[in-house]
Amino acid sequence: MREHPRAALDAESVREAYRRWAGVYDAVFGGVSALARKRAVAAVNRLPGSRVLEVGVGTGLALPLYAPDKRVAGIDLSREMLEVARKRVAAERLSRVLGLVEMDAESMAFEDASFDIAVAMFTASVVPDAHRLFAEMRRVVRPGGHLLFVNHFAAERGLRWWVERTMAPLSRVLGWHPDFMLRDLLPQDMQPVSIEPCFPAGLFTLVQVRNGA
């Protein structure tokens, strides 16, 4: 159980945080998150279905990694991050990317069952309500499709536990919850298909869920 109240995030605080991060995000976070990102996209590429939604596409670091037969749409709440992603798509001529749209992941404009796969990389701990994010991703993915999440999940004990909980009150400034837990994302009755640690050991985890029929 948490020993402190969680600092509330809202859409505007997230926008403001990533307005600051947009210009330096790739340099600051791109390297440490690279292997986990590659692992997530490799998992997407192995799955059946071509219609892929990347939720929280950010600066588009993952976009060049998708297989040529995938058709990818990306959404993000940050206009500044999307501007960087669009430049990447144009510079690398990524024809597999069908569109990048400014959109709230907790209230998507897509119709039900619009995608075969939805993937959120380093996004679940950013949104104000991860349970709503999960519900929306389930809605827009067809029955039998797949939901994937790569994220940092808080430690249960030790030095990292202490650091994460010490940083938690700074959530609004950072733009994410350092004390984010897997139970903050998945419903209690949800059983993932797989939970895999990613390098660096313990820092990121890949979670895969099969969408219920």
Side-chain angles (χ1 to χ4, degrees):
M1 265 181 99
R2 291 191 180 85
E3 299 175 358
H4 54 79
R6 165 167 283 180
L9 282 176
D10 54 55
E12 190 49 44
S13 65
V14 173
R15 283 192 181 97
E16 180 57 32
Y18 284 89
R19 189 176 295 122
R20 297 191 302 268
W21 285 118
V24 298
Y25 184 89
D26 290 6
V28 174
F29 297 106
V32 71
S33 62
L35 291 178
R37 182 180 300 106
K38 289 177 181 177
R39 188 164 182 173
V41 177
V44 169
N45 289 340
R46 290 192 297 267
L47 290 170
S50 62
R51 301 172 301 165
V52 178
L53 173 64
E54 185 176 332
V55 178
V57 67
T59 61
L61 283 168
L63 295 176
L65 305 175
Y66 290 101
D69 63 327
K70 300 299 185 187
R71 296 294 175 262
V72 183
I75 67 169
D76 204 281
L77 197 59
S78 170
R79 186 172 303 171
E80 289 77 14
M81 299 282 274
L82 285 171
E83 287 175 1
V84 178
R86 291 187 181 110
K87 290 177 182 177
R88 189 186 307 277
V89 169
E92 301 192 32
R93 299 181 181 181
L94 301 177
S95 59
R96 63 181 69 88
V97 180
L98 302 184
L100 300 172
V101 183
E102 184 179 344
M103 190 181 295
D104 186 346
E106 294 182 22
S107 182
M108 299 187 212
F110 302 116
E111 295 182 359
D112 295 357
S114 294
F115 299 94
D116 301 303
I117 305 161
V119 56
M121 290 177 267
F122 319 108
T123 300
S125 55
V126 170
V127 299
D129 187 338
H131 285 139
R132 286 183 60 183
L133 165 70
F134 185 84
E136 272 294 90
M137 289 176 65
R138 289 190 72 181
R139 182 185 67 79
V140 301
V141 170
R142 64 171 174 80
H146 295 81
L147 283 65
L148 294 91
F149 303 88
V150 167
N151 217 84
H152 167 77
F153 296 105
E156 297 288 343
R157 61 187 66 85
L159 177 61
R160 188 158 67 87
W161 176 92
W162 181 85
V163 171
E164 288 160 349
R165 280 146 186 79
T166 301
M167 293 174 61
L170 301 175
S171 294
R172 289 178 65 87
V173 176
L174 295 170
W176 71 85
H177 290 296
D179 58 341
F180 186 76
M181 307 289 286
L182 183 59
R183 63 175 175 265
D184 295 322
L185 172 65
L186 300 184
Q188 286 187 340
D189 60 348
M190 177 61 63
Q191 294 296 320
V193 173
S194 61
I195 300 177
E196 305 171 20
C198 300
F199 183 87
L203 189 57
F204 301 118
T205 302
L206 172 60
V207 179
Q208 186 173 161
V209 174
R210 184 78 180 269
N211 204 19

